[in-house]
Amino acid sequence: MVIRGETNIIKVYDLTPLVNVEEYDLYDSKELERFQDTVESYIQSGEAEALSFETELIGTVPENTEIEIGDETYFFEDVEYINRTVDDLISENLNEGDVVCLLQASGDGYFEYEQDPDVNELRIGYTACDIDTPEEPVYDFFCDLLLPDLVEANGEKIEITAQNFYPKDTMIAEVYIVKTKNGSKYLERVCEIDVLHFGWDLFEDIIQVDYDEPIA
């Protein structure tokens, strides 16, 4: 089986041990610039540790996703979903007060699996969002996507055997703080980080990055 389509990726860097947001007056332009430069240097140097998520934050846009099983091609409306929310993914991996940098990119994704399941037994992860979702850019970026890393057939997870990402847009980096409201964790945006000196190789520990045309 192959899943392919327009793909959004988020890579999460843990800044918590490295920066204290409270030490910066982010309403002051010079202090904000100093904070941004500090975060950029930690990522470029490798000091900011990339967090490992049980389910990678990689999603395909349903309307532009094809699911190939044998000689047949199916679409998002042909399969059942495993509903996950962005908050679920955050809550499982982050703690209140954590400071993270989210490196976001869009492109074309190709995901190949170890078997060709019956489409009627296929379930694919889906990032559901509702009216209570915080009004932060990252939620718009990662809501309503299919999760190629969370695929099951007949109740058993199917593993990815090969995956490729073909970048087509400029990446974005944003710093967020994990907050809690009514017992639920959510992300609150602090600022954006200049990505001028960042390369696509930063994503290569979670997916193979290619620069040729996507696999036909």
Side-chain angles (χ1 to χ4, degrees), residues 3 27 69 153 172 188 204:
I3 295 177
Y27 294 100
I69 303 176
I172 296 172
E188 182 176 277
E204 289 189 341

Side-chain angles (χ1 to χ4, degrees), residues 25-176:
D25 178 5
L26 299 180
Y27 294 100
D28 179 273
S29 60
K30 291 185 177 180
E31 282 286 283
L32 175 60
E33 183 177 355
R34 184 168 71 89
F35 176 79
Q36 292 168 321
D37 289 344
T38 299
V39 171
E40 180 183 347
S41 67
Y42 281 137
I43 293 176
Q44 285 190 307
S45 69
E47 290 181 77
E49 182 180 356
L51 297 177
S52 296
F53 280 58
E54 183 175 339
T55 299
E56 296 289 3
L57 299 183
I58 299 174
T60 66
V61 177
E63 294 80 4
N64 298 322
T65 296
E66 294 182 351
I67 303 162
E68 300 172 7
I69 303 176
D71 296 328
E72 300 293 329
T73 299
Y74 300 94
F75 302 94
F76 75 98
E77 63 266 25
D78 298 318
V79 301
E80 293 188 18
Y81 302 142
I82 305 169
N83 285 323
R84 304 293 304 277
T85 69
V86 177
D87 283 341
D88 286 338
L89 298 171
I90 296 302
S91 294
E92 292 167 0
N93 296 276
L94 300 175
N95 299 311
E96 181 180 6
D98 282 353
V99 181
V100 295
C101 181
L102 306 185
L103 192 60
Q104 307 160 48
S106 297
D108 292 312
Y110 173 93
F111 309 89
E112 188 173 321
Y113 297 81
E114 59 188 359
Q115 65 187 78
D116 285 337
D118 185 324
V119 70
N120 296 310
E121 299 176 346
L122 187 63
R123 299 173 69 223
I124 300 177
Y126 176 78
T127 56
C129 292
D130 56 34
I131 58 173
D132 296 324
T133 297
E135 294 183 1
E136 299 285 11
V138 67
Y139 289 91
D140 291 336
F141 185 79
F142 209 68
C143 280
D144 302 319
L145 298 179
L146 298 178
L147 299 173
D149 192 51
L150 183 57
V151 176
E152 295 181 356
N154 201 23
E156 298 291 330
K157 183 174 181 179
I158 304 177
E159 300 294 339
I160 296 173
T161 56
Q163 56 183 344
N164 298 78
F165 177 67
Y166 306 86
K168 63 180 182 181
D169 290 325
T170 302
M171 69 180 78
I172 296 172
E174 296 175 315
V175 175
Y176 285 83

